[in-house]
Amino acid sequence: MTYVEPKPIQTGIPSLKDEVPFTMGSAFTRPETLGVHGELLAKHFNGVTPGNELKWDATEPREGEFTFTDGDHLVNFATEHGMTVRGHTLAWHSQTPDWVFENATKEVLLQRLERHVRTLVTRYKGRIAAWDVVNEVVDENQPDGLRRSKWYEIAGLDFIRTAFRVAREADPDAKLFINDYNTEFPRKREALYKLVERLKAEGVPIDGVGHQLHLNIEQPPASAVEATIERFAALGLDQQVTELDVSIYTDFVSSYDTIPPELLVQQGHRYKELFDVFRRQAGSLSSVTVWGESDDVSWLRSWPIPRLNAPLLFDDDLQAKPAYWGVVDPSRLEPFVRELEAPAAAVKVDGRRDLEWDLLPDAPLARVGDVSAGFQARSSAAGLYVLAEVTDPAVSAGDRVTFTVDGRTRALGRNSPACAAPPPATGSRPCSAAARTSRSRCTTAARAPPGRARSPPSPPSSAPPPRAARPPSWTAPWTGCGRAFPSCAPAPGSRASRAPPPRSAPSGRARPCTSWPRSPTPR
Ligand code: XIL
């Protein structure tokens, strides 16, 4: 065995907590208060959530036997470092010992709950600023939207009412939250909304809604997160992001031996989009917590299966990832490259969206609020066709899409003569290229085999790109904007895919578009 000295943390980079207009939190556990992990927490975070130490199995493993050694240690660490603490969690169906439900009538269960909640909240009165009073109580697939947990089966909604009432009595200054995952999906969002609305109307002392936000590299879009925050803002409650992480997998079975660097760049852009939303919604959000300060401590290393995952802002050596720069300074991110193969097809280029393009969904590049961008490609003997579609309702003179093909760049603006399609009545034109999306370009990037399109391309480099095997020739039409780009060799392909599959992933990635036709029939 050899002892490897841990890499020191980077002290010369901005502290996350100074860069955001809300409390920046991290989950942590006892070992992470030591050494470089403790230093990283102290530098970047002004909020913390004990990841396991305040859960029922940790605090009251046997009836009436309370243990607070680890909980106290973590709360003391936070106090010493001037961090606010989120208490997680008082009533949950998971990590709760069996004895809690054994021989429990409704009355007995509520007594057990009352003692547990009162003991914990009283112990940390004035030191824990916010409690996840109940966790994951919603099930949008039930007619009443409530999870059929033992809590619910024995006590109905009264376990929620009791937990909130007792928590309020024990520490009237603590902010009381209802916390859940998948709240960014419309059905779950609405089920939670209805529940909170109902409880509020009854006078249950709920102060806020916690959105866990366990997301993945593809889904759901940041716009769905924003829609959720806006929806709950209508209730006039505080909101917090409580357990943010961005898995690099979109399914429960794939696994990488090594993580492709481009995936980490993609993740950086994803974090950027999410933090764009959080900053815009800062009036409704009092804190954003990531579920762990660095990849090496993430729960996603063991759930849902043991695998290499890297969902957080700092890597295994506690060094800043692209994800960190996505939050702090997105201009330092490499461009987001999305690769797709170009099925064989000839497309009519007349300024309108040829029906051919409707055979596949556009590969999305970005979607923030009302602004979205996507692209597709087709190849034929005549060249490579590219559809680039940007929707941006805010018209501005600088809107344009830029294509770079073999180092030659051409920009098409809203009023470019090539944009033949009339704008829709709404004023939002798919043939727009907002300045914000100026990274949207089409190219046969040097690394891409002929017939593949990558968007946006690698940034122009001073070295000339390697030549394609055949003399290049491109035709790049796009909705409303037809333009031929004579360059780049097309190689008619037949498969469509939105991104390279994980190199070691046996069964591919559960993408929303796995049902795409693998070989669309050219018309
Ligand atoms: C996780 C912890 O991080 C793991 O260490 C533990 O083994 C399982 O629970 N939603 C929650 C958190 O509300 O409590 C979970 O934390 C992650 C999912």
Side-chain angles (χ1 to χ4, degrees):
M1 271 222 296
T2 31
Y3 171 72
V4 181
E5 192 77 38
K7 243 192 186 166
I9 69 159
Q10 296 155 296
T11 50
I13 58 174
S15 297
L16 286 168
K17 60 188 176 191
D18 298 334
E19 301 295 313
V20 292
F22 32 71
T23 298
M24 185 70 216
S26 173
F28 72 147
T29 61
R30 187 165 185 155
E32 294 153 51
T33 58
L34 302 171
V36 284
H37 287 87
E39 289 170 27
L40 192 73
L41 285 166
K43 171 165 171 58
H44 290 286
F45 300 96
N46 51 5
V48 277
T49 307
N52 288 309
E53 292 76 355
L54 295 176
K55 291 173 180 171
W56 200 307
D57 59 354
T59 50
E60 194 186 2
R62 282 163 295 281
E63 185 158 16
E65 276 182 35
F66 289 91
T67 57
F68 291 113
T69 324
D70 290 342
D72 287 356
H73 177 83
L74 295 186
V75 174
N76 290 340
F77 176 91
T79 310
E80 281 158 23
H81 290 87
M83 300 161 161
T84 57
V85 185
R86 302 194 78 261
H88 177 80
T89 174
L90 297 171
W92 190 22
H93 62 272
S94 183
Q95 292 182 268
T96 302
D98 291 343
W99 69 259
V100 176
F101 306 104
E102 260 160 28
N103 305 319
T105 59
K106 176 171 176 177
E107 200 191 357
V108 165
L109 185 66
L110 293 181
Q111 276 167 6
R112 290 172 179 166
L113 177 66
E114 171 148 5
R115 173 159 74 172
H116 184 82
V117 172
R118 200 175 293 286
T119 305
L120 267 73
V121 178
T122 304
R123 182 173 191 93
Y124 296 111
K125 186 171 187 301
R127 294 198 294 156
I128 288 191
W131 278 100
D132 288 330
V133 176
V134 295
N135 195 31
E136 303 179 353
V137 299
V138 170
D139 178 352
E140 69 277 30
N141 295 317
Q142 298 296 339
D144 61 0
L146 290 162
R147 179 191 286 272
R148 298 308 188 246
S149 64
K150 286 189 182 154
W151 286 111
Y152 179 85
E153 278 163 5
I154 299 170
L157 262 190
D158 281 340
F159 87 91
I160 301 179
R161 297 185 179 107
T162 301
F164 275 96
R165 173 182 58 79
V166 176
R168 175 64 94 232
E169 286 169 13
D171 184 355
D173 293 330
K175 297 291 175 223
L176 306 183
F177 280 76
I178 181 168
N179 193 47
D180 220 316
Y181 63 94
N182 281 359
T183 62
E184 59 283 4
F185 290 94
R187 290 181 62 241
K188 181 121 183 201
R189 176 198 297 155
E190 290 314 308
L192 176 62
Y193 185 93
K194 266 200 202 115
L195 174 63
V196 175
E197 198 179 31
R198 172 175 175 187
L199 294 170
K200 282 269 290 174
E202 285 180 14
V204 175
I206 297 185
D207 297 310
V209 175
H211 308 289
Q212 292 186 3
L213 293 197
H214 293 292
L215 311 180
N216 74 47
I217 193 84
E218 297 278 355
Q219 288 291 329
S223 56
V225 174
E226 186 150 33
T228 288
I229 298 171
E230 284 174 345
R231 177 79 169 126
F232 283 94
L235 284 176
L237 293 166
D238 189 11
Q239 296 183 69
Q240 300 190 338
V241 171
T242 55
E243 305 182 15
L244 176 64
D245 48 25
V246 177
S247 172
I248 60 165
Y249 302 101
T250 57
D251 63 33
F252 285 180
V253 293
S254 301
S255 136
Y256 290 107
D257 297 330
T258 47
I259 299 171
E262 62 268 22
L263 214 52
L264 298 178
V265 171
Q266 183 180 346
Q267 185 186 53
H269 287 273
R270 188 107 164 88
Y271 267 103
K272 178 216 174 280
E273 287 182 3
L274 290 165
F275 273 76
D276 282 348
V277 168
F278 302 153
R279 287 182 169 105
R280 263 202 303 278
Q281 299 295 333
S284 307
L285 271 186
S286 57
S287 93
V288 172
T289 294
V290 285
W291 203 242
E293 70 280 7
S294 50
D295 288 340
D296 57 322
V297 300
S298 169
W299 74 302
L300 296 178
R301 286 274 164 102
S302 54
W303 190 91
I305 54 167
R307 60 182 172 181
L308 182 59
N309 206 336
L312 297 165
L313 303 174
F314 295 92
D315 68 16
D316 286 15
D317 287 325
L318 281 49
Q319 308 299 296
K321 293 166 60 187
Y324 164 90
W325 292 111
V327 175
V328 167
D329 181 2
S331 73
R332 304 213 11 192
L333 286 175
E334 280 177 40
F336 174 32
V337 174
R338 190 175 276 281
E339 186 176 275
L340 72 165
E341 290 180 20
V347 184
K348 198 164 177 196
V349 183
D350 62 357
R352 296 175 188 283
R353 187 179 167 108
D354 190 293
L355 281 178
E356 169 64 32
W357 299 117
D358 295 337
L359 295 177
L360 295 173
D362 296 349
L365 287 170
R367 182 155 41 148
V368 178
D370 293 336
V371 180
S372 60
F375 81 119
Q376 291 189 52
R378 299 287 186 276
S379 60
S380 79
L384 187 68
Y385 299 84
V386 175
L387 170 91
E389 189 161 288
V390 182
T391 302
D392 175 4
V395 178
S396 99
D399 290 350
R400 55 184 30 85
V401 167
T402 308
F403 289 85
T404 305
V405 180
D406 271 2
R408 291 188 63 192
T409 297
R410 288 180 186 80
L412 299 179
R414 285 178 185 272
N415 300 319
S416 150
C419 288
T426 59
S428 121
R429 292 179 66 180
C431 167
S432 65
R436 264 162 281 179
T437 62
S438 59
R439 275 201 219 90
S440 300
R441 284 174 284 183
C442 157
T443 182
T444 52
R447 279 165 290 152
R452 284 184 156 208
R454 302 179 130 232
S455 177
S458 315
S461 85
S462 46
R467 301 294 309 169
R470 287 197 278 154
S473 96
W474 268 47
T475 309
W478 52 301
T479 301
C481 302
R483 192 89 165 211
F485 292 106
S487 90
C488 304
S494 58
R495 282 196 328 118
S497 71
R498 288 171 49 209
R503 278 158 207 161
S504 58
S507 56
R509 301 162 70 179
R511 294 171 177 283
C513 291
T514 42
S515 61
W516 284 13
R518 305 297 288 172
S519 305
T521 320
R523 284 178 302 126

